[in-house]
Amino acid sequence: MSRHSGARESSRLDRRLEALNDARQLAGGVLPDAQLEEVFQVLERAGSRRSLSAEHTVVGFFGATGSGKSSLFNAVSGGNIATTAARRPTTSEPLAGVWGVDGSEPLLDWLDVRNRHHAGPVEGFAGEDTGLILLDLPDFDSTRAANREVVQRMVGLVDVLVWVLDPQKYADAAVHQDFLAPLASHGAVTLVVLNQVDRLPAHDVPPVLESLRGILAAEGLGKVKVLAASALTGQGVDGVRAAIRSVVVQRKARSQRLEADVAKASRELREASGDGEAAGVRHQTTARLGAELAAAANVPVVVTAVARSYRLESVRRTGWPATRWLSRFRPDPLRRLNLRRDAPAELNRTSLPPASAPQRARTDSAVREFADAASAGAPGPWRAAIRSAAREGRERLPDALDQAIAGTDLGANRKSWWWGVFNVVQWLALLTVLGGLGWLGGLAALQYFQMPAPEPPRVEGWPVPTLMAAVGVVLGIVLALAGRFIAAGAAAARASGARKRLEAAVGGVARNLVVEPVEVEVSRLAAFNAALKVAAG
């Protein structure tokens, strides 16, 4: 493999590993911890293997008891290792044949292989510059738990897996279900050898090989190379050597193995997660949520109180001065709700009635409907996470909504310009009435005391004092009625403005406690799917 090709593969693997780690982190709290721990172990192994020699390819021989695995290992690696194998401390310890000792020690330490043999050159197969480590491993069906643990661990660590099967047990479910089928994504670094073919009649070998290939194809390993060999007679041993050497000289096995691990971990994450994207947050559902919360927070009650309070204040300021004082006996609706004040909003609460059971049920239903709409299309675990995020802030909603209403500027203390104009004219009208009445009273008093009374001026035959009193009364009544009409229109406008501000405040609470948490989960799912797509290659 060229330097540039190796750099490209390394860069691609970097991206996939990074994406797999992103997917793992994004899935925290959504997918099972055990599943995420397996992904973490894959990342840990990948990081460790990449930090070790890239010039060595580790090839592991796996097989069941009686498959002739060790005999084939010896035949492939040469007689020197066979001699060493006879002195192995226990059958549970892996044996390593090493071609190219320099740089292999840290890698073998990581593999925890203590029994190492510096192998001599094998013509046409391996020499000191090959960078090959062959491992003869314990039988995977051993009755000793320690042996099975070694095999399980090595299945996850070696760069290339050579499965040695025998003609009698090549279809054994133990090897296929427990090892080969789960490693379907590892076809590029898997080699299957049907050993001991010398025990079969020559005409039976092709059908058995065809049967084995069919089983492997059904397990997703249809492209795996299948070879026939006999360690006893040497038949096919050169073919096994050639297949291993072909993988080793390309220097791709390490990256291919790690990419296969990433692909397998990605597939398992996808299976645990499920397919699909969430519909997400939409304006229509957000508006409906805000409307339902506004109703539950008694926004219509507050809006009505704003309008009534304005009309009452208008009467107090623009009504007929002789009777306007009566309006002071009518309570201000906003004061009753503790919404007309000068103190900071955070120091106050409203006096709105607490949410009733139907209102609470309505709020819960609105939150649930919003979450269901946003999570539509999402796979099960993520749908549950989105719904949970929506429900998390539900308990804080009543207090937050009350605070939002308490902190909203309702314009209750703002004066209208026309109040002053009407008030001045009303007082002028009253003074006119009083002036006219006073004038008439003075004339009546003079007549009562039989004193000469001057003739009052007249307009169109009407005495001016009488006209003053009449005009003042009529003007006061007209102004009072006009003020009520103007106040009704202005109150509606003020109530409309208050409604908008209240709904905006309620919408802010809905966004903080419900919408944004849901958006975070929806975005997390989208990022997870994108990362998993990159990781899967």
Side-chain angles (χ1 to χ4, degrees), residues 170 194 200-215:
Y170 71 88
L194 182 66
L200 294 173
H203 64 274
D204 285 344
V205 174
V208 171
L209 287 174
E210 191 62 29
S211 173
L212 176 56
R213 290 190 180 97
I215 295 172

Side-chain angles (χ1 to χ4, degrees), residues 422-443:
F422 270 55
N423 188 47
V424 170
V425 177
Q426 283 283 33
W427 279 106
L428 288 176
L430 179 60
L431 291 176
T432 301
V433 171
L434 294 177
L437 292 176
W439 193 344
L440 290 173
L443 293 175

